[in-house]
Amino acid sequence: MKLTILGPWGAYPAADSASASYLIQTESVNVLLDCGSGALAQLQRHLPLEELDAVVLTHYHTDHIADVYCLQHAAMILMQLGRRTKPIEIYAHDADPAAFATLAYGEYMHSHVIAVGDSLTLGDLTWTFGHTTHPVPCLSMRIEHGEQVLVFTADTAWNDDLVRIGRNADLLLCESNLYNEYFGKIGGHLTAGEAGKLASQCGAKRLVLTHLPQYGDLAQLVREAHETYQGPIDLARTGDQYRL
């Protein structure tokens, strides 16, 4: 299983980057996890759009879905040109029915409901979904390929279900939108120290901090996470790749 960071930013992307979006690949399937602003431009550096099989969404905040609607038109054009032979399958929760209804796009994109506790098979990947604590419904994700485990917290404040779904992760891709000084002051997101604490409690082998803020010294996030986790820690950066 290969993870490529397309967009590590929350809210809006930095220049030449993207907001929340990640490419997960095996020999049998190519899946886009979230599809934020700038995702398609970054995706095409690593994969032709003709070869994208599916999209899995955590929630409907714009920094996670902005490029979905561009992708709908890309699928349409590529199928009309004969360069794609099948629609893109897109998976999301339907706790917001109006938002879910916008995902399907004729014969070019087919939508499917996922929910907490569900299991989803995409190629040789198995996905399970957990609870988050965020202002809107949002799903955390455990992605397994054989014995390899990738876990994505999505956007969330602390809750104990994150420990359950993150257990023994080979790589914990964890939101870290807040510096420690904002602990208890801003809801819906984790501080770097909490990200480290989660990695420790999960027994994660590696921690990658993502959904990064646009202010401050990002290296401080790593230092703060190291206060509660002694394993390897990276800041997610556009174009970085991890093989599990």
Side-chain angles (χ1 to χ4, degrees):
M1 175 165 46
K2 181 170 72 172
L3 165 69
T4 303
I5 308 294
L6 303 178
W9 299 98
Y12 63 93
D16 301 317
S17 186
S19 62
S21 45
Y22 312 89
L23 175 63
I24 300 171
Q25 298 174 278
T26 70
E27 291 183 356
S28 71
V29 71
N30 300 303
V31 183
L32 185 60
L33 171 51
D34 280 342
C35 188
S37 177
L40 294 196
Q42 295 301 322
L43 175 61
Q44 291 173 90
R45 297 177 183 271
H46 304 278
L47 183 77
L49 294 181
E50 293 89 335
E51 297 179 18
L52 180 66
D53 297 300
V55 180
V56 182
L57 300 178
T58 59
H59 66 300
Y60 296 106
H61 277 160
T62 309
D63 54 336
H64 295 255
I65 67 162
D67 268 17
V68 165
Y69 307 105
C70 297
L71 183 59
Q72 291 174 338
H73 285 269
M76 178 183 69
I77 291 167
L78 293 171
M79 288 182 72
Q80 289 173 342
L81 293 173
R83 289 164 54 186
R84 279 194 69 94
T85 59
K86 58 183 181 180
I88 295 172
E89 309 297 332
I90 187 165
Y91 300 82
H93 70 69
D94 64 351
D96 183 340
F100 181 80
T102 68
L103 301 180
Y105 195 66
E107 63 186 289
Y108 311 111
M109 184 176 286
H110 294 168
S111 59
H112 310 271
V113 175
I114 52 176
V116 171
D118 283 357
S119 179
L120 171 67
T121 299
L122 296 174
D124 51 2
L125 294 172
T126 300
W127 302 60
T128 53
F129 306 101
H131 292 277
T132 65
T133 301
H134 199 53
V136 300
C138 178
L139 299 172
S140 60
M141 302 186 177
R142 182 181 179 93
I143 306 153
E144 299 177 74
H145 179 249
E147 297 182 354
Q148 283 69 53
V149 179
L150 167 65
V151 173
F152 180 42
T153 64
D155 288 13
T156 185
W158 182 273
N159 73 58
D160 290 339
D161 195 55
L162 297 170
V163 179
R164 178 191 65 83
I165 203 163
R167 187 72 63 193
N168 298 322
D170 292 287
L171 190 153
L172 176 63
L173 183 61
C174 186
E175 84 117 278
S176 181
N177 196 238
L178 302 174
Y179 296 93
N180 284 356
E181 65 183 287
Y182 295 104
F183 177 77
K185 299 177 181 178
I186 298 175
H189 293 285
L190 294 171
T191 65
E194 288 177 301
K197 174 185 172 182
L198 178 60
S200 291
Q201 292 194 10
C202 289
K205 296 181 177 66
R206 176 178 292 273
L207 172 62
V208 179
L209 303 177
T210 194
H211 206 266
L212 303 174
Q214 284 80 11
Y215 61 94
D217 175 11
L218 295 180
Q220 181 180 337
L221 296 172
V222 176
R223 294 192 293 269
E224 292 177 349
H226 266 307
E227 295 173 5
T228 48
Y229 175 68
Q230 300 309 308
I233 302 175
D234 299 326
L235 281 176
R237 299 185 188 278
T238 300
D240 282 359
Q241 295 184 327
Y242 298 88
R243 294 184 181 272
L244 284 71

